[in-house]
Amino acid sequence: AGDCGQPRDSTWTSHSMGKILKQIKVEDIPADCSEPVDPKALEQARGIVDSINEKGEKALLEWAVKFGEIKEGESYVLSKDELKAAYDTLPADQRGVLDRVGARIRKFAQAQRASIQDTETDIPGGRAGQTVAAVDCAGCYAPGGRYPLPSSVMMTAITAREAGVPNVWVASPHPDQVTRAAAHVAGVDGMLKIGGAQAIATMAKGVGIVPPANIIVGPGNQWVTAAKSLVQGKCAIDMLAGPSEVLVIADGTADPATVAADLLAQAEHDVEARPILVCTDAGVIDAVDAEVQKQLEALPSPNKETAKAACEKGFVVLASSIEDALAVSDKVAPEHLEIMTKDAMEVGMKCKHYGGLFVGRYAAEVLGDYGVGPNHVLPTAGTARYTGGLSVHTFLRIRTWMRIDKAEDCQTVVDDAIALARMEGLEAHARAAEQRKL
Protein backbone atom coordinates (compact mmCIF):
# COMPACT_ATOMS: atom_id res chain seq x y z
CA ALA A 1 0.00 0.00 0.00
CA GLY A 2 3.03 2.25 0.33
CA ASP A 3 3.12 3.23 -3.36
CA CYS A 4 -0.65 3.35 -3.80
CA GLY A 5 -1.62 6.37 -5.88
CA GLN A 6 1.82 6.80 -7.48
CA PRO A 7 2.12 6.97 -11.26
CA ARG A 8 4.30 4.36 -12.92
CA ASP A 9 7.80 5.51 -13.97
CA SER A 10 6.79 5.09 -17.61
CA THR A 11 4.24 7.90 -17.25
CA TRP A 12 6.83 10.59 -16.59
CA THR A 13 7.17 13.19 -19.31
CA SER A 14 10.04 15.52 -20.16
CA HIS A 15 7.87 18.30 -18.74
CA SER A 16 8.01 16.70 -15.30
CA MET A 17 11.80 16.74 -15.02
CA GLY A 18 12.71 19.23 -12.32
CA LYS A 19 9.09 19.57 -11.27
CA ILE A 20 7.71 18.51 -7.91
CA LEU A 21 4.31 17.61 -9.39
CA LYS A 22 4.69 14.89 -12.00
CA GLN A 23 2.77 15.41 -15.23
CA ILE A 24 1.06 12.28 -16.57
CA LYS A 25 -1.28 11.35 -19.36
CA VAL A 26 -5.00 10.79 -18.84
CA GLU A 27 -4.73 7.08 -19.56
CA ASP A 28 -1.98 6.71 -16.95
CA ILE A 29 -3.90 8.12 -14.00
CA PRO A 30 -3.02 5.78 -11.13
CA ALA A 31 -5.57 3.45 -9.63
CA ASP A 32 -7.33 4.48 -6.45
CA CYS A 33 -6.22 3.24 -3.09
CA SER A 34 -9.39 1.16 -3.10
CA GLU A 35 -8.51 -0.89 -0.01
CA PRO A 36 -8.43 1.53 2.92
CA VAL A 37 -7.75 -1.12 5.58
CA ASP A 38 -4.07 -1.88 6.10
CA PRO A 39 -3.61 -5.65 6.73
CA LYS A 40 -1.03 -5.19 9.50
CA ALA A 41 -3.12 -2.54 11.23
CA LEU A 42 -6.14 -4.83 10.93
CA GLU A 43 -4.31 -7.65 12.70
CA GLN A 44 -3.19 -5.34 15.50
CA ALA A 45 -6.62 -3.73 15.83
CA ARG A 46 -8.29 -7.13 15.99
CA GLY A 47 -6.32 -8.04 19.11
CA ILE A 48 -7.37 -4.81 20.82
CA VAL A 49 -11.03 -5.05 19.78
CA ASP A 50 -11.28 -8.72 20.80
CA SER A 51 -9.74 -8.09 24.23
CA ILE A 52 -12.13 -5.21 24.99
CA ASN A 53 -15.09 -7.27 23.79
CA GLU A 54 -13.99 -10.05 26.14
CA LYS A 55 -12.73 -8.16 29.20
CA GLY A 56 -14.45 -4.80 28.88
CA GLU A 57 -13.16 -1.97 31.04
CA LYS A 58 -10.23 -4.00 32.40
CA ALA A 59 -8.79 -4.42 28.90
CA LEU A 60 -9.55 -0.84 27.96
CA LEU A 61 -7.61 0.49 30.94
CA GLU A 62 -4.68 -1.79 30.15
CA TRP A 63 -4.46 -0.55 26.57
CA ALA A 64 -4.95 3.12 27.52
CA VAL A 65 -2.14 2.93 30.09
CA LYS A 66 0.11 0.98 27.72
CA PHE A 67 -0.28 3.60 24.99
CA GLY A 68 0.31 6.46 27.45
CA GLU A 69 -3.17 7.92 27.07
CA ILE A 70 -3.89 7.87 30.80
CA LYS A 71 -1.95 7.10 33.95
CA GLU A 72 -2.66 4.17 36.25
CA GLY A 73 -5.85 4.92 38.19
CA GLU A 74 -6.80 7.93 36.02
CA SER A 75 -10.26 8.20 34.49
CA TYR A 76 -10.52 7.73 30.73
CA VAL A 77 -13.66 9.90 30.55
CA LEU A 78 -14.07 13.66 30.73
CA SER A 79 -17.42 14.83 32.11
CA LYS A 80 -19.59 17.62 30.74
CA ASP A 81 -18.46 19.81 33.64
CA GLU A 82 -14.79 19.24 32.79
CA LEU A 83 -15.44 20.10 29.16
CA LYS A 84 -17.26 23.28 30.19
CA ALA A 85 -14.35 24.25 32.43
CA ALA A 86 -12.00 23.89 29.46
CA TYR A 87 -14.23 26.20 27.44
CA ASP A 88 -14.69 28.75 30.23
CA THR A 89 -10.94 29.15 30.76
CA LEU A 90 -10.07 29.58 27.08
CA PRO A 91 -9.12 33.09 25.92
CA ALA A 92 -12.18 35.01 24.74
CA ASP A 93 -11.00 35.17 21.13
CA GLN A 94 -10.64 31.38 20.96
CA ARG A 95 -14.07 30.89 22.53
CA GLY A 96 -15.45 33.21 19.87
CA VAL A 97 -13.89 31.16 17.07
CA LEU A 98 -15.37 27.92 18.43
CA ASP A 99 -18.79 29.52 18.94
CA ARG A 100 -18.93 30.95 15.42
CA VAL A 101 -17.71 27.78 13.75
CA GLY A 102 -20.14 25.71 15.79
CA ALA A 103 -23.03 28.00 14.82
CA ARG A 104 -22.24 27.70 11.09
CA ILE A 105 -21.97 23.90 11.24
CA ARG A 106 -25.23 23.81 13.18
CA LYS A 107 -27.06 26.04 10.69
CA PHE A 108 -26.11 23.88 7.70
CA ALA A 109 -26.99 20.69 9.58
CA GLN A 110 -30.40 22.12 10.47
CA ALA A 111 -31.05 22.86 6.79
CA GLN A 112 -30.12 19.29 5.92
CA ARG A 113 -32.43 17.91 8.59
CA ALA A 114 -35.30 20.01 7.29
CA SER A 115 -34.80 18.53 3.81
CA ILE A 116 -36.22 15.14 4.81
CA GLN A 117 -39.47 14.73 6.69
CA ASP A 118 -42.13 12.25 7.73
CA THR A 119 -44.56 11.69 4.88
CA GLU A 120 -47.53 9.52 3.94
CA THR A 121 -49.56 8.63 0.88
CA ASP A 122 -52.61 6.63 -0.20
CA ILE A 123 -52.37 2.87 -0.83
CA PRO A 124 -55.24 0.56 -1.84
CA GLY A 125 -57.57 0.46 1.16
CA GLY A 126 -55.49 2.65 3.45
CA ARG A 127 -52.39 4.74 4.00
CA ALA A 128 -48.62 4.19 4.09
CA GLY A 129 -45.77 6.44 5.04
CA GLN A 130 -42.31 6.94 6.41
CA THR A 131 -41.01 8.27 9.71
CA VAL A 132 -37.55 9.77 10.04
CA ALA A 133 -35.80 9.16 13.35
CA ALA A 134 -32.27 9.46 14.65
CA VAL A 135 -30.36 6.59 16.21
CA ASP A 136 -30.20 6.49 20.02
CA CYS A 137 -26.44 6.89 20.46
CA ALA A 138 -23.56 8.11 18.29
CA GLY A 139 -19.84 7.74 18.87
CA CYS A 140 -17.72 10.43 17.21
CA TYR A 141 -13.98 10.12 16.68
CA ALA A 142 -11.58 13.04 16.24
CA PRO A 143 -7.87 12.53 15.53
CA GLY A 144 -5.41 13.72 18.12
CA GLY A 145 -2.04 12.78 16.71
CA ARG A 146 0.34 15.16 14.95
CA TYR A 147 -2.34 17.80 14.66
CA PRO A 148 -5.32 17.70 17.08
CA LEU A 149 -8.56 18.40 15.24
CA PRO A 150 -11.15 20.21 17.38
CA SER A 151 -12.87 21.01 14.08
CA SER A 152 -13.60 17.29 13.63
CA VAL A 153 -15.14 17.16 17.11
CA MET A 154 -17.64 19.82 16.08
CA MET A 155 -18.20 18.50 12.56
CA THR A 156 -19.20 15.08 13.86
CA ALA A 157 -20.87 15.78 17.20
CA ILE A 158 -22.85 18.88 16.23
CA THR A 159 -24.14 17.09 13.14
CA ALA A 160 -25.26 14.14 15.28
CA ARG A 161 -27.03 16.47 17.70
CA GLU A 162 -28.85 18.32 14.93
CA ALA A 163 -29.94 14.99 13.48
CA GLY A 164 -31.68 14.42 16.81
CA VAL A 165 -29.34 11.86 18.41
CA PRO A 166 -30.06 11.97 22.18
CA ASN A 167 -26.71 10.50 23.31
CA VAL A 168 -23.51 11.77 21.68
CA TRP A 169 -20.03 10.76 22.82
CA VAL A 170 -16.71 11.80 21.37
CA ALA A 171 -13.27 10.17 21.59
CA SER A 172 -9.93 11.86 20.97
CA PRO A 173 -6.52 10.84 22.30
CA HIS A 174 -4.65 13.34 24.48
CA PRO A 175 -7.27 16.07 23.97
CA ASP A 176 -5.86 19.54 24.50
CA GLN A 177 -7.89 22.38 25.98
CA VAL A 178 -9.24 23.59 22.64
CA THR A 179 -10.40 20.07 21.72
CA ARG A 180 -12.14 19.74 25.08
CA ALA A 181 -13.74 23.14 24.64
CA ALA A 182 -14.91 22.16 21.15
CA ALA A 183 -16.63 19.13 22.70
CA HIS A 184 -18.46 21.48 25.05
CA VAL A 185 -19.57 23.70 22.16
CA ALA A 186 -20.82 20.56 20.40
CA GLY A 187 -22.90 19.64 23.45
CA VAL A 188 -21.58 16.10 23.88
CA ASP A 189 -22.55 13.88 26.80
CA GLY A 190 -18.98 12.85 27.52
CA MET A 191 -15.50 12.53 26.05
CA LEU A 192 -13.09 9.63 26.02
CA LYS A 193 -9.44 10.66 26.43
CA ILE A 194 -8.39 7.63 24.40
CA GLY A 195 -7.95 6.95 20.71
CA GLY A 196 -7.08 4.27 18.21
CA ALA A 197 -8.72 0.87 18.03
CA GLN A 198 -9.35 0.92 21.79
CA ALA A 199 -11.61 3.97 21.46
CA ILE A 200 -13.59 2.45 18.59
CA ALA A 201 -14.01 -0.86 20.44
CA THR A 202 -15.14 0.96 23.59
CA MET A 203 -17.80 3.00 21.80
CA ALA A 204 -19.02 -0.04 19.85
CA LYS A 205 -19.32 -2.32 22.86
CA GLY A 206 -20.25 0.16 25.56
CA VAL A 207 -17.84 0.10 28.49
CA GLY A 208 -18.37 1.52 31.97
CA ILE A 209 -20.47 4.67 31.72
CA VAL A 210 -19.94 4.83 27.95
CA PRO A 211 -23.11 3.53 26.22
CA PRO A 212 -22.90 1.28 23.14
CA ALA A 213 -23.08 3.39 20.01
CA ASN A 214 -25.49 2.64 17.18
CA ILE A 215 -23.10 4.37 14.79
CA ILE A 216 -19.44 5.44 14.92
CA VAL A 217 -18.25 8.28 12.70
CA GLY A 218 -15.21 10.42 12.10
CA PRO A 219 -11.76 10.26 10.52
CA GLY A 220 -8.76 8.54 12.05
CA ASN A 221 -5.50 6.74 11.44
CA GLN A 222 -5.06 3.24 10.01
CA TRP A 223 -5.82 1.56 13.35
CA VAL A 224 -9.02 3.56 13.74
CA THR A 225 -10.06 2.62 10.20
CA ALA A 226 -9.21 -1.04 10.81
CA ALA A 227 -11.20 -1.09 14.05
CA LYS A 228 -14.19 0.52 12.34
CA SER A 229 -14.11 -2.25 9.76
CA LEU A 230 -14.16 -4.82 12.58
CA VAL A 231 -17.09 -3.36 14.55
CA GLN A 232 -19.19 -2.69 11.45
CA GLY A 233 -22.24 -4.89 11.79
CA LYS A 234 -22.37 -4.58 15.56
CA CYS A 235 -22.97 -0.91 14.84
CA ALA A 236 -23.00 1.25 11.73
CA ILE A 237 -20.04 3.33 10.58
CA ASP A 238 -19.89 6.35 8.30
CA MET A 239 -17.05 5.23 6.01
CA LEU A 240 -13.58 3.70 5.86
CA ALA A 241 -11.51 6.77 5.11
CA GLY A 242 -8.13 6.76 3.43
CA PRO A 243 -5.55 9.55 2.95
CA SER A 244 -6.83 13.00 2.08
CA GLU A 245 -7.17 14.15 -1.55
CA VAL A 246 -7.72 17.38 -3.40
CA LEU A 247 -8.19 17.81 -7.14
CA VAL A 248 -8.18 21.29 -8.68
CA ILE A 249 -9.68 21.87 -12.12
CA ALA A 250 -8.11 25.04 -13.51
CA ASP A 251 -7.86 26.99 -16.74
CA GLY A 252 -5.90 30.03 -17.88
CA THR A 253 -7.87 32.31 -15.53
CA ALA A 254 -6.70 30.51 -12.36
CA ASP A 255 -4.35 32.22 -9.92
CA PRO A 256 -1.26 29.96 -9.59
CA ALA A 257 -0.43 31.08 -6.05
CA THR A 258 -3.94 30.23 -4.83
CA VAL A 259 -3.95 26.85 -6.57
CA ALA A 260 -0.54 26.01 -5.08
CA ALA A 261 -1.64 27.05 -1.60
CA ASP A 262 -4.68 24.80 -1.78
CA LEU A 263 -2.65 21.83 -3.01
CA LEU A 264 -0.25 22.29 -0.09
CA ALA A 265 -3.08 22.66 2.40
CA GLN A 266 -4.08 19.07 1.71
CA ALA A 267 -0.51 17.84 1.23
CA GLU A 268 0.47 18.80 4.78
CA HIS A 269 -2.12 16.40 6.21
CA ASP A 270 -0.17 13.23 5.52
CA VAL A 271 2.69 11.90 3.42
CA GLU A 272 0.10 9.69 1.69
CA ALA A 273 -2.18 12.63 0.78
CA ARG A 274 -2.80 13.20 -2.96
CA PRO A 275 -2.67 16.76 -4.39
CA ILE A 276 -3.84 16.71 -8.03
CA LEU A 277 -4.04 19.48 -10.63
CA VAL A 278 -6.01 19.10 -13.87
CA CYS A 279 -5.47 22.16 -16.03
CA THR A 280 -6.11 23.23 -19.61
CA ASP A 281 -3.21 25.72 -19.66
CA ALA A 282 0.43 24.57 -19.73
CA GLY A 283 1.65 27.98 -18.58
CA VAL A 284 -0.54 27.82 -15.47
CA ILE A 285 0.78 24.32 -14.74
CA ASP A 286 4.37 25.62 -14.82
CA ALA A 287 3.46 28.60 -12.65
CA VAL A 288 1.63 26.43 -10.11
CA ASP A 289 4.58 24.07 -9.83
CA ALA A 290 6.95 26.98 -9.24
CA GLU A 291 4.59 28.36 -6.59
CA VAL A 292 4.33 24.98 -4.87
CA GLN A 293 8.10 24.79 -4.56
CA LYS A 294 8.33 28.40 -3.39
CA GLN A 295 5.57 28.03 -0.80
CA LEU A 296 6.94 24.68 0.38
CA GLU A 297 10.22 26.33 1.36
CA ALA A 298 8.32 28.85 3.49
CA LEU A 299 6.45 26.19 5.49
CA PRO A 300 7.68 25.29 8.98
CA SER A 301 8.78 21.79 9.92
CA PRO A 302 7.38 19.15 10.02
CA ASN A 303 4.68 20.55 7.70
CA LYS A 304 7.25 21.16 4.96
CA GLU A 305 8.58 17.61 4.96
CA THR A 306 5.12 16.05 5.09
CA ALA A 307 3.79 18.24 2.27
CA LYS A 308 6.86 17.66 0.09
CA ALA A 309 6.47 13.88 0.36
CA ALA A 310 2.77 14.14 -0.50
CA CYS A 311 3.42 16.43 -3.48
CA GLU A 312 5.85 13.89 -4.86
CA LYS A 313 2.96 11.41 -4.86
CA GLY A 314 0.59 13.88 -6.49
CA PHE A 315 0.36 14.57 -10.20
CA VAL A 316 -0.70 17.00 -12.92
CA VAL A 317 -2.77 16.34 -16.04
CA LEU A 318 -2.75 18.76 -18.97
CA ALA A 319 -6.30 18.53 -20.30
CA SER A 320 -7.16 19.48 -23.87
CA SER A 321 -10.47 21.03 -22.81
CA ILE A 322 -12.69 21.60 -19.78
CA GLU A 323 -14.72 18.57 -20.89
CA ASP A 324 -11.58 16.43 -20.72
CA ALA A 325 -10.77 17.90 -17.32
CA LEU A 326 -14.23 16.90 -16.08
CA ALA A 327 -13.66 13.35 -17.33
CA VAL A 328 -10.38 13.16 -15.43
CA SER A 329 -12.02 14.42 -12.27
CA ASP A 330 -14.87 11.94 -12.53
CA LYS A 331 -12.36 9.14 -13.03
CA VAL A 332 -10.55 10.09 -9.81
CA ALA A 333 -13.75 10.91 -7.83
CA PRO A 334 -11.78 13.07 -5.39
CA GLU A 335 -12.56 13.77 -1.77
CA HIS A 336 -12.23 17.53 -2.35
CA LEU A 337 -12.86 19.08 -5.78
CA GLU A 338 -12.02 22.72 -6.44
CA ILE A 339 -13.09 24.59 -9.58
CA MET A 340 -10.91 27.55 -10.56
CA THR A 341 -12.09 28.30 -14.08
CA LYS A 342 -14.17 30.74 -16.05
CA ASP A 343 -17.90 30.07 -15.38
CA ALA A 344 -16.85 27.98 -12.37
CA MET A 345 -20.37 27.20 -11.14
CA GLU A 346 -21.41 25.92 -14.55
CA VAL A 347 -18.30 23.73 -14.70
CA GLY A 348 -18.82 22.47 -11.15
CA MET A 349 -22.41 21.44 -11.79
CA LYS A 350 -21.23 19.18 -14.61
CA CYS A 351 -19.02 17.15 -12.25
CA LYS A 352 -20.50 13.81 -11.24
CA HIS A 353 -18.25 12.27 -8.60
CA TYR A 354 -16.74 14.08 -5.61
CA GLY A 355 -17.02 14.31 -1.83
CA GLY A 356 -17.18 18.09 -1.50
CA LEU A 357 -17.29 20.74 -4.25
CA PHE A 358 -15.63 24.15 -3.85
CA VAL A 359 -16.57 26.60 -6.58
CA GLY A 360 -14.42 29.58 -7.49
CA ARG A 361 -11.21 31.11 -6.18
CA TYR A 362 -12.65 32.26 -2.87
CA ALA A 363 -14.41 29.01 -1.98
CA ALA A 364 -11.25 27.59 -0.42
CA GLU A 365 -11.35 23.98 0.67
CA VAL A 366 -9.84 25.06 3.99
CA LEU A 367 -12.99 27.11 4.64
CA GLY A 368 -14.86 23.82 4.41
CA ASP A 369 -12.36 22.25 6.79
CA TYR A 370 -12.95 24.96 9.34
CA GLY A 371 -16.67 25.25 9.40
CA VAL A 372 -18.16 27.46 6.73
CA GLY A 373 -21.11 25.05 6.90
CA PRO A 374 -20.92 21.75 4.98
CA ASN A 375 -19.22 18.83 6.66
CA HIS A 376 -15.53 18.09 6.21
CA VAL A 377 -15.77 14.32 6.80
CA LEU A 378 -15.80 13.17 3.16
CA PRO A 379 -15.33 9.97 1.12
CA THR A 380 -11.83 9.18 -0.19
CA ALA A 381 -10.17 6.70 -2.57
CA GLY A 382 -12.84 6.93 -5.25
CA THR A 383 -15.71 5.97 -2.93
CA ALA A 384 -17.44 9.24 -3.85
CA ARG A 385 -18.77 7.27 -6.84
CA TYR A 386 -21.30 5.64 -4.52
CA THR A 387 -21.47 7.59 -1.27
CA GLY A 388 -21.46 11.12 0.09
CA GLY A 389 -19.88 12.76 3.10
CA LEU A 390 -21.01 12.86 6.71
CA SER A 391 -24.33 14.63 7.21
CA VAL A 392 -27.38 14.55 9.43
CA HIS A 393 -28.69 11.80 7.13
CA THR A 394 -25.86 9.55 8.35
CA PHE A 395 -27.52 9.43 11.78
CA LEU A 396 -31.10 8.98 10.56
CA ARG A 397 -33.25 5.91 9.94
CA ILE A 398 -36.07 5.91 7.43
CA ARG A 399 -38.83 3.64 8.77
CA THR A 400 -41.93 2.80 6.79
CA TRP A 401 -45.46 1.89 7.92
CA MET A 402 -48.75 0.87 6.34
CA ARG A 403 -52.36 0.67 7.49
CA ILE A 404 -55.41 -0.90 5.84
CA ASP A 405 -58.69 0.82 6.74
CA LYS A 406 -60.99 -0.70 4.09
CA ALA A 407 -60.27 -4.36 3.43
CA GLU A 408 -62.66 -4.40 0.48
CA ASP A 409 -60.52 -1.83 -1.34
CA CYS A 410 -57.33 -3.88 -1.17
CA GLN A 411 -58.61 -7.21 -2.50
CA THR A 412 -56.69 -6.84 -5.75
CA VAL A 413 -53.50 -6.44 -3.71
CA VAL A 414 -54.41 -9.55 -1.72
CA ASP A 415 -54.97 -11.56 -4.91
CA ASP A 416 -51.64 -10.37 -6.34
CA ALA A 417 -49.84 -11.26 -3.11
CA ILE A 418 -51.32 -14.78 -3.16
CA ALA A 419 -50.35 -15.29 -6.80
CA LEU A 420 -46.83 -13.89 -6.43
CA ALA A 421 -46.17 -15.93 -3.28
CA ARG A 422 -47.05 -19.14 -5.15
CA MET A 423 -44.84 -18.09 -8.08
CA GLU A 424 -42.00 -17.93 -5.57
CA GLY A 425 -42.94 -21.24 -3.96
CA LEU A 426 -43.73 -19.68 -0.58
CA GLU A 427 -47.01 -21.37 0.32
CA ALA A 428 -47.19 -20.04 3.89
CA HIS A 429 -46.97 -16.53 2.50
CA ALA A 430 -49.86 -17.27 0.13
CA ARG A 431 -52.00 -18.67 2.94
CA ALA A 432 -51.26 -15.66 5.17
CA ALA A 433 -52.51 -13.42 2.36
CA GLU A 434 -55.59 -15.63 1.94
CA GLN A 435 -56.52 -14.82 5.55
CA ARG A 436 -57.25 -11.31 4.25
CA LYS A 437 -59.68 -12.45 1.54
CA LEU A 438 -63.26 -11.33 1.97
Side-chain angles (χ1 to χ4, degrees):
D3 62 352
C4 189
Q6 291 227 58
R8 299 185 299 275
D9 289 345
S10 62
T11 66
W12 286 41
T13 70
S14 59
H15 176 90
S16 59
M17 300 305 291
K19 307 290 184 181
I20 192 167
L21 296 168
K22 294 180 285 289
Q23 184 172 324
I24 65 173
K25 298 176 182 177
V26 173
E27 59 268 25
D28 293 320
I29 292 174
D32 300 318
C33 299
S34 56
E35 179 46 69
V37 180
D38 178 78
K40 186 173 182 180
L42 181 64
E43 180 182 347
Q44 295 167 337
R46 190 185 303 278
I48 296 172
V49 171
D50 287 348
S51 67
I52 291 175
N53 283 339
E54 182 181 345
K55 300 177 183 177
E57 191 171 56
K58 181 176 183 295
L60 166 61
L61 292 171
E62 290 172 355
W63 288 113
V65 170
K66 178 179 179 179
F67 291 128
E69 295 173 321
I70 61 172
K71 296 176 181 178
E72 197 81 45
E74 181 184 349
S75 174
Y76 56 90
V77 170
L78 290 166
S79 68
K80 294 173 76 170
D81 288 342
E82 290 173 300
L83 300 176
K84 184 178 186 302
Y87 172 84
D88 289 341
T89 54
L90 267 185
D93 60 333
Q94 293 187 16
R95 291 199 305 271
V97 169
L98 294 180
D99 288 340
R100 290 190 298 274
V101 170
R104 291 192 292 265
I105 295 170
R106 192 168 281 112
K107 180 181 178 182
F108 190 81
Q110 289 169 348
Q112 284 185 320
R113 182 62 186 87
S115 72
I116 184 168
Q117 300 290 336
D118 293 358
T119 188
E120 60 181 80
T121 188
D122 291 326
I123 59 173
R127 300 280 288 173
Q130 70 173 24
T131 59
V132 184
V135 298
D136 288 335
C137 181
C140 303
Y141 190 90
R146 185 183 300 140
Y147 307 111
L149 296 180
S151 57
S152 289
V153 171
M154 293 191 288
M155 284 285 180
T156 54
I158 289 175
T159 305
R161 276 288 191 228
E162 293 306 321
V165 180
N167 297 297
V168 179
W169 284 72
V170 65
S172 189
H174 308 288
D176 61 9
Q177 185 179 1
V178 176
T179 302
R180 297 178 187 206
H184 168 72
V185 171
V188 304
D189 291 289
M191 182 177 210
L192 290 89
K193 298 187 290 183
I194 59 173
Q198 57 273 24
I200 301 301
T202 297
M203 292 190 290
K205 175 180 173 60
V207 172
I209 65 169
V210 182
N214 303 119
I215 186 169
I216 295 175
V217 303
N221 63 20
Q222 57 188 339
W223 292 277
V224 170
T225 300
K228 285 170 75 173
S229 76
L230 291 169
V231 303
Q232 186 177 17
K234 175 182 289 187
C235 64
I237 64 170
D238 53 347
M239 65 188 78
L240 297 173
S244 189
E245 309 154 348
V246 63
L247 187 150
V248 180
I249 294 179
D251 63 10
T253 69
D255 175 58
T258 302
V259 174
D262 286 1
L263 293 174
L264 289 174
Q266 285 307 301
E268 75 172 343
H269 267 298
D270 190 287
V271 296
E272 298 294 334
R274 280 209 301 179
I276 302 166
L277 172 61
V278 183
C279 185
T280 59
D281 189 297
V284 170
I285 289 177
D286 288 339
V288 169
D289 196 283
E291 274 290 338
V292 167
Q293 296 191 54
K294 175 185 173 183
Q295 293 180 30
L296 257 178
E297 289 307 308
L299 283 177
S301 293
N303 310 60
K304 179 197 296 185
E305 291 76 17
T306 301
K308 185 175 186 293
C311 284
E312 290 170 349
K313 293 185 177 182
F315 59 89
V316 174
V317 174
L318 175 60
S320 59
S321 64
I322 287 295
E323 288 68 29
D324 285 347
L326 294 174
V328 171
S329 177
D330 285 338
K331 180 176 181 180
V332 175
E335 176 188 16
H336 307 102
L337 174 58
E338 293 192 348
I339 310 295
M340 296 198 197
T341 66
K342 182 182 178 182
D343 301 322
M345 192 67 190
E346 181 182 338
V347 172
M349 291 299 99
K350 292 179 181 178
C351 297
K352 296 178 182 177
H353 308 305
Y354 54 83
L357 180 65
F358 305 86
V359 181
R361 178 184 176 187
Y362 294 100
E365 187 278 324
V366 293
L367 300 184
D369 278 347
Y370 294 123
V372 71
N375 212 284
H376 77 196
V377 180
L378 299 169
T380 63
T383 57
R385 292 186 190 91
Y386 62 80
T387 190
L390 187 74
S391 71
V392 295
H393 308 300
T394 308
F395 302 96
L396 297 176
R397 298 162 292 159
I398 308 300
R399 304 170 304 180
T400 60
W401 58 269
M402 56 166 277
R403 183 186 74 240
I404 300 299
D405 301 314
K406 297 179 179 179
E408 62 274 16
D409 290 345
C410 75
Q411 290 302 296
T412 299
V413 175
V414 171
D415 290 337
D416 288 345
I418 294 167
L420 191 54
R422 289 192 168 125
M423 290 180 202
E424 294 184 349
L426 297 174
E427 185 58 30
H429 281 64
R431 295 181 186 185
E434 285 177 335
Q435 292 293 320
R436 276 71 184 182
K437 286 286 289 178
L438 295 180

